[in-house]
Amino acid sequence: MFAGEIRQLWRYPVKGLRGESLRSAKVDFDGLAGDRTFGLFEPGTDKSVWGGSHPRMMAWEAAWPAQCGCADAVAGEPVLYEGGGAAWAADDAALPGRLAATIGADKGVELRPVRRDYGRMLVVFESSVRELGRQLGREVEAARFRPNVIVDTDLEPFAETALEPGTKVRLGGHEFTLQKPCERCVLPSWSPDGSNERDMELHKHVIKELGNHFGIYVRIDETVTIAVGDTVVC
């Protein structure tokens, strides 16, 4: 049905914060290794502090320390970087206070591992990002949609969200299964750089014109490695 290649890989060690660009990544049943492993929560509760309610979170970014020069390695805990570039160890006792102050979390925050019962990987198509920008009359950053994989294929814009769940998609020669199109929350309407600016027109357009879907989730049962430049075939 379509063919192309992987153009970019991204992972987000801490949900809601900006992530890191990769050259390669390990993927298994739990999703892309090191992706959305930690989250921010209100102290003493399971209530998430997320980017839709605290968009200044995206002024921060998180990355796994490089291990032996391997971009896909994950070990220990991530390093967090605030907007000005200062680096923080995940276990720094002063980090929660600094995070809360800079993102406007009046009740404070805790950084801790995320519990999840499944893994999935978000794939976004460059043709759809370009067409969305054309429809809106301005460039749209793919980063707004927080994808793990950005692919460039010969598929018509937005056609990926009409593919049947269960469709097999080969990334780097490995067979992934399409789970479903990604139903979008308000997060893409907020600037992905943490500047606290909102694009309501984009949010309304995605809801009205695209059925509130953008990108697809895929999954794999085995452990594989994918890389920028790998082929994509369906």
Side-chain angles (χ1 to χ4, degrees):
M1 288 185 284
F2 62 82
E5 69 174 25
I6 295 175
R7 287 295 180 86
Q8 297 181 48
L9 292 172
W10 289 87
R11 71 176 167 211
Y12 309 88
V14 180
K15 292 183 68 174
L17 275 57
R18 295 203 314 274
E20 58 182 330
S21 175
L22 305 173
R23 295 299 301 173
S24 64
K26 290 182 180 178
V27 189
D28 60 17
F29 182 78
D30 292 324
L32 193 147
D35 184 58
R36 297 170 171 90
T37 303
F38 287 80
L40 301 183
F41 299 86
E42 290 186 2
T45 76
D46 289 328
K47 184 175 181 180
S48 296
V49 177
W50 72 295
S53 58
H54 295 80
R56 282 183 286 176
M57 286 172 62
M58 288 178 283
W60 284 72
E61 64 181 74
W64 294 98
Q67 306 288 329
C68 305
C70 302
D72 56 4
V74 176
E77 295 184 331
V79 176
L80 278 64
Y81 302 87
E82 60 178 292
W88 293 80
D91 60 355
D92 191 316
L95 175 60
R98 182 60 179 168
L99 274 166
T102 56
I103 70 174
D106 296 337
K107 295 182 180 180
V109 298
E110 289 179 352
L111 174 68
R112 61 176 188 260
V114 173
R115 295 196 303 269
R116 58 185 182 184
D117 299 323
Y118 61 88
R120 58 191 182 190
M121 188 170 72
L122 177 60
V123 181
V124 163
F125 288 63
E126 281 193 344
S127 59
S128 297
V129 177
R130 290 193 294 265
E131 177 61 16
L132 179 59
R134 189 195 67 78
Q135 292 178 359
L136 292 171
R138 60 183 181 277
E139 183 179 358
V140 173
E141 311 99 315
R144 286 182 176 273
F145 300 98
R146 303 180 68 78
N148 294 120
V149 185
I150 300 178
V151 300
D152 190 15
T153 76
D154 54 10
L155 189 66
E156 289 295 315
F158 313 128
E160 65 274 12
T161 58
L163 296 173
E164 288 291 328
T167 297
K168 303 303 180 182
V169 181
R170 295 188 69 83
L171 302 172
H174 309 293
E175 191 171 88
F176 288 74
T177 301
L178 191 156
Q179 289 187 290
K180 63 177 182 177
C182 179
E183 186 172 352
R184 306 311 314 203
C185 64
V186 301
L187 195 58
S189 67
W190 289 102
S191 175
D193 62 5
S195 59
N196 211 31
E197 297 178 359
R198 191 171 187 187
D199 187 342
M200 288 296 296
E201 183 184 2
L202 181 147
H203 186 51
K204 292 176 181 177
H205 187 90
V206 170
I207 293 174
K208 182 178 179 180
E209 303 298 334
L210 305 180
N212 202 30
H213 291 141
F214 200 89
I216 57 174
Y217 286 118
V218 301
R219 191 173 188 175
I220 194 167
D221 291 333
E222 59 184 319
T223 300
V224 302
T225 298
I226 58 176
V228 172
D230 279 354
T231 57
V232 179
V233 180
C234 177

